[in-house]
Amino acid sequence: MPQLRRLTTDRLRVFFSRLKDRLWVRPLFLSVLAVGGTFVARFADGTGLAKVLPRIQLDSVESLLTIMASSMLVIATFAVGAMVAAYASASVSATPRSIPLVISDDVTQNALSAFIGAFIFSIVSLISVQNEIFGHAGLFSIFSLTLLVFVIVIVTFVRWVDRIARLGRVVNTIEKVEEAATDALDRRRHAPTLGALAGPMNPTRDLGAPVFSPTVGYVQHIDLETLQSVAEDANCRVLVTALPGTFVSARRPLLRIEGCEAFDPEAFAVAFKICPNRAFDDDPRFALVALSEIADKALSPGTNDPGTAINVIGSMVRLFTLWVSPLEKGRVVEITYDRVFVPSLEIDDLFDDAFTALARDGAGFVEVAIRLQKAFRALAETDDPAMVAAAKRHSRMALARSEQAMSLQDDIEVVRRAAAFSAV
C-alpha cells in the first residue's frame, strides 16, 4: 500500500507556489468573480435604491455589453497568440529552461485573466439583462460595473502592451532568471542547511542504511518536516544525500538512516518530490545553469552575440556578491529539525555551474575572456576564502582555454594581464 503524504506547512507552501504559476488559475478566479458580480447586482433591486438612482435605458446597457462580449474574446485570443510567440522567442533566443519564468509573468497573467473575466461578465450580464432579470437599481448596478470593467480592461491592456513588447526578449529573460536566482540564493544563504543540522555532502557507505528513489528524475523539493516527524517515530537520524536539483535513480540514495535497523523506507522517500524537470524555487544551482545556458547560446556560431554573454557575466558577479554579503539577522533560519542532517551548497559547485560552459565557449572571444577575468578578479577581492580560491581556480582554467582557442598573440597577452591576479 503506498505511503500517504503528510499535509505539512512546507508542502502547502510549495503547492501554492506552483499553483500561482498555472495559467488557468487567475482566469478561473476572475471568471467566478465576474459571474458573482453579475448576481450581486441583482440584490440592489431589493434595497430601495431605485428611488434615488437615475434610470438607465435598457438599450444602452445592452449595447455596452454586446460591444464588450464581441471584443473581449478577440482580444483574449490575440493575447494568447502574443504570449505563445513570446514563449517561443524565449525558448529560441535564450534557453528552454527559462520558459516557466516567462509563463509566470504577473502582468501577462493578469491581462489574460482580465480579458477572459470581462468576456464572461459581459456574456452573463447580457443574458440576464435581455431576460429582464434586473429592475431599475439592478440595471444601474450592471451599468456601473460595465463601466468599471471597461476601465480595468483599458488600463490592463495598456500595461500589457508595454510588457508583451519586451516579454521573451533576451534582456528581459536574463532579468527574470537573475531574479529567480537572487531569490533562491538569498533563501539558501539564510538557511544553508534548510533548518536542519549540517551534514556531509558525500557520506560514506558505512554512515547508515540507504533509502533509494522509487522513481527516476530530479529532486524538486524536500519536506524536512515530514523527515523530522518520521525520524522521531522511528527514533533515528536522517542524512540527506540528494539536495534539490539532484538527479536520482533506482541506485542513487536519497538519504541514509542511522540509529535504527527497522524502518519503513517509503515513509522517508515520500518527503522527496521528484519530477522529470528541475525547478527554480529550492534549486539555486538550476538558476545559475539557466543563466550560463543563455550566455552559451549567445556565443554559438549561429548567434554570435558576445554582448549577451557579457551581460550574463555581470549577473553572475551580482549573484555571487549577494551570496557572501552579510546575513540579515531577522531572516536567519534556526535549526528546527534536529534529527535531519542536510549538506550545504559548495561554492566550487556554484562556480562550476555558472562559469564552466561560459569560459569554454567564450574562450575565443577576447572581449568575453577579458570580461570574465575581470569578474573573477572582482569575486577574488571578497573576504570569503572559499570564493577567492574558486575565483582564482576558474581564472586559471579560463586563461588556459583562451590560450588554446585564440590565434593572435596580442589577444592572448591582454587576457594574461587580466588574469595576472590568479597567479598570486
Side-chain angles (χ1 to χ4, degrees):
M1 180 179 178
Q3 181 72 29
L4 295 178
R5 293 179 177 268
R6 303 182 183 215
L7 188 61
T8 62
T9 55
D10 198 33
R11 198 179 296 277
L12 288 174
R13 176 187 66 83
V14 174
F15 172 76
F16 285 110
S17 175
R18 298 285 192 273
L19 189 65
K20 71 181 181 65
D21 294 336
R22 301 291 183 181
L23 281 177
W24 57 267
V25 174
R26 296 187 193 186
L28 176 62
F29 174 76
L30 284 187
S31 298
V32 173
L33 190 63
V35 174
T38 302
F39 288 99
V40 166
R42 176 67 179 83
F43 294 112
D45 290 324
T47 61
L49 293 176
K51 299 178 181 179
V52 297
L53 293 176
R55 289 182 175 271
I56 301 298
Q57 294 296 323
L58 181 64
D59 292 341
S60 63
V61 177
E62 287 187 3
S63 298
L64 282 175
L65 291 174
T66 301
I67 293 172
M68 182 181 294
S70 59
S71 60
M72 284 302 99
L73 185 60
V74 175
I75 294 178
T77 304
F78 168 72
V80 172
M83 291 165 60
V84 171
Y87 302 156
S89 175
S91 178
V92 173
S93 62
T95 171
R97 260 59 64 189
S98 64
I99 294 300
L101 299 177
V102 180
I103 291 177
S104 64
D105 180 73
D106 288 337
V107 175
T108 304
Q109 288 199 13
N110 290 339
L112 181 62
S113 303
F115 301 151
I116 294 177
F119 173 73
I120 298 297
F121 168 80
S122 60
I123 291 296
V124 175
S125 298
L126 186 61
I127 294 174
S128 302
V129 168
Q130 289 178 342
N131 286 275
E132 299 181 352
I133 292 178
F134 301 108
H136 296 307
L139 199 61
F140 180 83
S141 300
I142 286 295
F143 179 76
S144 302
L145 285 174
T146 303
L147 293 180
L148 177 62
V149 171
F150 262 119
V151 172
I152 293 175
V153 167
I154 291 172
V155 173
T156 302
F157 183 78
V158 172
R159 293 186 63 218
W160 175 73
V161 168
D162 176 70
R163 178 59 65 91
I164 202 66
R166 294 179 283 112
L167 191 67
R169 302 299 184 264
V170 176
V171 174
N172 179 262
T173 305
I174 292 175
E175 291 176 356
K176 287 186 172 297
V177 179
E178 182 180 350
E179 182 180 351
T182 299
D183 293 340
L185 286 171
D186 196 40
R187 285 195 303 270
R188 181 58 67 87
R189 74 189 188 94
H190 286 94
T193 58
L194 306 178
L197 298 173
M201 177 60 71
N202 297 306
T204 58
R205 295 185 177 182
D206 58 350
L207 285 182
V211 174
F212 298 100
S213 169
T215 58
V216 177
Y218 291 95
V219 177
Q220 281 195 357
H221 174 71
I222 305 174
D223 188 356
L224 294 181
E225 190 174 343
T226 295
L227 288 180
Q228 174 74 13
S229 178
V230 176
E232 289 176 350
D233 294 340
N235 192 24
C236 64
R237 295 182 300 275
V238 178
L239 281 71
V240 174
T241 58
L243 289 174
T246 303
F247 184 79
V248 294
S249 60
R251 302 308 302 168
R252 174 67 163 84
L254 298 170
L255 50 87
R256 292 183 176 273
I257 306 297
E258 281 188 328
C260 65
E261 297 181 357
F263 60 89
D264 181 10
E266 193 174 357
F268 291 94
V270 294
F272 290 76
K273 182 179 180 181
I274 301 173
C275 299
N277 302 306
R278 299 172 73 172
F280 290 96
D281 292 344
D282 299 326
D283 187 4
R285 296 182 60 181
F286 182 47
L288 296 177
V289 170
L291 277 174
S292 178
E293 287 181 351
I294 294 175
D296 206 33
K297 179 173 286 189
L299 294 172
S300 63
T303 305
N304 194 23
D305 180 20
T308 294
I310 291 174
N311 288 342
V312 170
I313 293 173
S315 298
M316 296 296 191
V317 174
R318 286 191 291 271
L319 292 172
F320 281 105
T321 301
L322 170 69
W323 181 254
V324 296
S325 61
L327 300 176
E328 301 174 26
K329 294 183 179 180
R331 296 182 55 200
V332 176
V333 177
E334 298 180 353
I335 303 300
T336 55
Y337 308 113
D338 57 359
R339 288 183 175 271
V340 183
F341 295 81
V342 176
S344 58
L345 293 177
E346 298 288 340
I347 193 66
D348 286 335
D349 293 334
L350 297 178
F351 263 71
D352 290 342
D353 294 331
F355 296 115
T356 298
L358 204 161
R360 178 196 64 213
D361 295 318
F365 295 81
V366 63
E367 62 270 41
V368 175
I370 292 174
R371 185 63 185 88
L372 194 58
Q373 292 296 340
K374 290 181 178 179
F376 291 140
R377 181 170 184 172
L379 296 176
E381 292 173 349
T382 61
D383 297 328
D384 186 83
M387 181 168 290
V388 172
K392 290 185 176 181
R393 179 173 67 88
H394 275 266
S395 173
R396 292 190 293 267
M397 289 193 301
L399 174 60
R401 289 189 173 99
S402 294
E403 289 175 339
Q404 292 187 3
M406 293 180 181
S407 57
L408 186 62
Q409 189 63 31
D410 290 344
D411 289 344
I412 296 176
E413 290 300 328
V414 172
V415 178
R416 282 176 178 171
R417 287 196 295 269
F421 75 95
S422 62
V424 179

